[in-house]
Amino acid sequence: MVNADSLTSSLNCVDLSNPDINQSVNSLKQACLDSGFFYVVNHGISQEFMDEVFAESKKFFSLPHKEKMKLLRNEKHRGYTPVLDELLDPENQVHGDYKEGYYIGVEVAEDDPKSHKPFYGPNRWPSSGILPKWRETMEKYHEQALEVGKKVARIIALALGLDANFFDQPKMLGEPIAVLRLLHYEGRISDPTKGLFGAGAHTDYGLITLLATDEISGLQICKDRDAKPQKWEDVPPMKGAFIVNIGDMLERWSNCVFKSTLHRVLGNGKERYSIPFFLEPSHECLVKCLPTCKSATNPSKFPPILCQDYLSQRYNDTHANLTIYKKQQNLQY
């Protein structure tokens, strides 16, 4: 049990075990108005299991590069992403991000009609002979993180003046695009003046992100992306807590009442492991301004857009074309 009052950080903390829902709503709302980032504690996932998830993640990234490349991400964004694969801030980055990752989504069988949708389909799994507990651990974590995300979404709905179950609708989080991503940052030192980053400055794409991280710092946020110069603030890791931030879709839904905040990761020479869980609505969800967030004097700022269209565009914009790896493999033989 984490005591929310004992936590030392400038970010607000939402305690999911708090029986006073109004207090949780007010704390979350203030966080979303101020920074778009907050901590979530007492979320129901045990520290023992979190330690197990991180241990299994490290086992995968410790495999030889050749073994990891056998599980290279496919067009559905399932599988391994090598170092430099992702370029989040092309205006300021010389190379891609100095991190490697692994995408795991909702498991959908290949013969299921839903598997034709973007981001749906079978996951890519390491051989059980190499990593025997890996799939079981990651599927269990995906399931538990999804439940935490739905709990947070209910508090967000109340903070926006909606019914608590607003986001639970079938076309929203009834069949979500929920993506778990394991990340490993090499022990490099970032240098923004030279365009070198662990992860370039970006906003997240979906509804919310739940970030679990080890004890190594590196995450920074910029509350005002238009400021010159930009001011970056550290977000310290907190054992037993998720760091939660709102994404672009919630910014669109809320008509910029809640803003999707720019963030980045700077390497400090130490290896760092983190596990973001991206909670995004269903493919057919039409993201449009909420009725509680617009008026005659404050009309909708964004046109409606389908979730799958927005996500597909953002992923394509930030990831290397898969043909690059095919060419590299051909050169090796």
Side-chain angles (χ1 to χ4, degrees):
M1 191 80 167
V2 178
N3 182 357
D5 295 330
S6 68
L7 302 177
T8 55
S9 171
S10 61
L11 297 184
N12 281 13
C13 186
V14 177
D15 184 346
L16 292 187
S17 69
N18 188 351
D20 186 348
I21 188 64
N22 288 330
Q23 187 178 42
S24 296
V25 169
N26 290 335
S27 180
L28 180 146
K29 185 173 184 176
Q30 188 56 50
C32 291
L33 292 171
D34 176 47
S35 65
F37 273 74
F38 53 94
Y39 295 102
V40 165
V41 297
N42 300 323
H43 40 67
I45 303 180
S46 72
Q47 188 59 50
E48 182 182 12
F49 181 55
M50 288 303 310
D51 292 344
E52 187 181 332
V53 175
F54 273 94
E56 292 297 320
S57 174
K58 289 179 183 180
K59 286 178 185 177
F60 173 78
F61 290 120
S62 298
L63 293 174
H65 180 70
K66 188 175 180 180
E67 288 298 314
K68 291 183 285 191
M69 286 299 287
K70 290 177 182 177
L71 294 160
L72 180 68
R73 67 174 170 88
N74 57 24
E75 69 283 350
K76 295 294 187 80
H77 292 280
R78 304 297 177 91
Y80 176 63
T81 54
V83 174
L84 306 182
D85 178 81
E86 193 171 12
L87 182 63
L88 291 166
D89 185 13
E91 288 186 17
N92 295 300
Q93 285 182 265
V94 176
H95 306 293
D97 292 352
Y98 280 100
K99 68 177 190 289
E100 55 182 341
Y102 202 97
Y103 281 117
I104 301 166
V106 177
E107 182 72 25
V108 178
E110 208 156 358
D111 58 358
D112 189 312
K114 294 176 188 171
S115 69
H116 74 280
K117 296 180 179 181
F119 309 101
Y120 265 21
N123 283 299
R124 307 203 70 188
W125 299 110
S127 163
S128 58
I130 299 174
L131 298 174
K133 292 173 59 182
W134 209 82
R135 176 172 180 171
E136 176 190 349
T137 301
M138 296 309 164
E139 287 189 322
K140 180 180 175 183
Y141 181 67
H142 189 285
E143 181 182 332
Q144 292 191 12
L146 178 57
E147 288 310 305
V148 175
K150 287 181 176 180
K151 289 177 185 176
V152 175
R154 290 176 193 125
I155 301 175
I156 289 172
L158 292 171
L160 290 170
L162 303 165
D163 182 86
N165 297 318
F166 177 81
F167 291 111
D168 288 331
Q169 296 177 58
K171 279 202 171 182
M172 290 192 180
L173 296 181
E175 290 187 347
I177 303 173
V179 179
L180 166 63
R181 194 177 189 196
L182 311 174
L183 293 174
H184 171 224
Y185 293 85
E186 297 182 327
R188 290 176 175 264
I189 296 176
S190 297
D191 187 344
T193 64
K194 294 181 179 178
L196 302 175
F197 298 86
H202 65 286
T203 57
D204 288 347
Y205 316 148
L207 178 65
I208 56 172
T209 302
L210 309 177
L211 178 70
T213 184
D214 63 13
E215 70 281 0
I216 305 301
S217 60
L219 177 64
Q220 295 185 326
I221 63 173
C222 175
K223 295 179 184 178
D224 182 1
R225 70 182 76 174
D226 298 320
K228 303 290 184 186
Q230 291 177 334
K231 181 183 177 184
W232 290 92
E233 302 173 38
D234 292 324
V235 178
M238 193 173 284
K239 196 169 184 70
F242 280 116
I243 300 168
V244 181
N245 63 283
I246 63 175
D248 298 345
M249 288 188 194
L250 187 51
E251 179 175 283
R252 295 174 77 104
W253 255 317
S254 71
N255 210 24
C256 293
V257 173
F258 293 170
K259 290 195 175 179
S260 182
T261 301
L262 205 61
H263 53 286
R264 68 186 186 185
V265 174
L266 296 188
N268 58 10
K270 298 178 182 178
E271 274 191 300
R272 179 176 180 268
Y273 293 87
S274 68
I275 306 175
F277 182 85
F278 303 104
L279 183 57
E280 289 137 357
S282 69
H283 294 78
E284 292 79 19
C285 180
L286 187 66
V287 180
K288 61 180 180 179
C289 184
L290 297 167
T292 56
C293 297
K294 64 180 178 180
S295 65
T297 55
N298 183 33
S300 176
K301 296 177 175 64
F302 304 99
I305 190 169
L306 279 178
C307 173
Q308 64 179 4
D309 294 342
Y310 184 76
L311 285 181
S312 295
Q313 186 60 54
R314 290 298 304 269
Y315 272 79
N316 291 338
D317 286 345
T318 55
H319 287 76
N321 192 305
L322 287 170
T323 58
I324 291 173
Y325 300 112
K326 291 175 183 175
K327 289 176 183 175
Q328 289 174 353
Q329 287 172 344
N330 291 335
L331 289 173
Q332 293 172 4
Y333 294 103

